Amino acid sequence: QVHLVESGGGLVQPGGSLRLSCAASGTSFSTFAMAWFRQAPRKEREFVAGISRVGLVIDYADSAKGRFTISRDNAKNTVYLQMHSLKPEDTAVYYCAARVTQVESARPIEYDYWGQGTQVTVSS
């Protein structure tokens, strides 16, 4: 069992930056592959970025490549999403997710645990 809590969302102007954090508690964090997803109003939840247990495998959605960076600190039981050059279309609720396996997946159904989400709004 693992409990995930996201933080760091907020309102930012286009072109700005935010760093999201997801703190995990309850069990050994390093046994989980982690990912960030997002869901905008009236849209399906979509994969943003994923990272394997020790960070050797990282994957990004095309929309995130070159602008977002996922990282993890297993000593702090935390995964991060650094976002730069934010656009209005990045506006969504961002969720972190944990999967009890070695590598991440882009499919939401393959994740075992989810956080409650943090709102990111990109607007002038």
Side-chain angles (χ1 to χ4, degrees):
Q1 189 78 13
V2 64
H3 183 57
L4 303 173
V5 179
E6 301 96 334
S7 61
L11 174 64
V12 63
Q13 292 187 344
S17 299
L18 281 176
R19 189 176 83 152
L20 306 183
S21 299
C22 174
S25 61
T27 190
S28 179
F29 181 66
S30 61
T31 64
F32 294 89
M34 301 296 296
W36 288 95
F37 288 80
R38 67 186 184 187
Q39 188 165 18
R42 298 174 298 281
K43 292 189 176 181
E44 292 188 355
R45 191 166 297 190
E46 65 174 3
F47 174 78
V48 176
I51 187 167
S52 60
R53 285 177 178 174
V54 294
L56 294 180
V57 179
I58 292 176
D59 190 25
Y60 294 98
D62 287 343
S63 60
K65 289 178 181 177
R67 300 188 300 128
F68 295 0
T69 302
I70 188 172
S71 61
R72 67 189 295 163
D73 186 339
N74 286 349
K76 295 183 178 179
N77 289 357
T78 303
V79 62
Y80 305 96
L81 185 68
Q82 178 68 56
M83 305 186 292
H84 296 295
S85 303
L86 283 162
K87 306 173 183 180
E89 51 264 43
D90 294 317
T91 296
V93 177
Y94 283 70
Y95 299 90
C96 73
R99 182 176 185 229
V100 185
T101 189
Q102 175 72 24
V103 295
E104 90 297 351
S105 167
R107 302 179 65 208
I109 197 172
E110 295 186 1
Y111 284 81
D112 303 291
Y113 303 100
W114 293 84
Q116 82 290 348
T118 185
Q119 176 70 47
V120 171
T121 302
V122 184
S123 175
S124 55

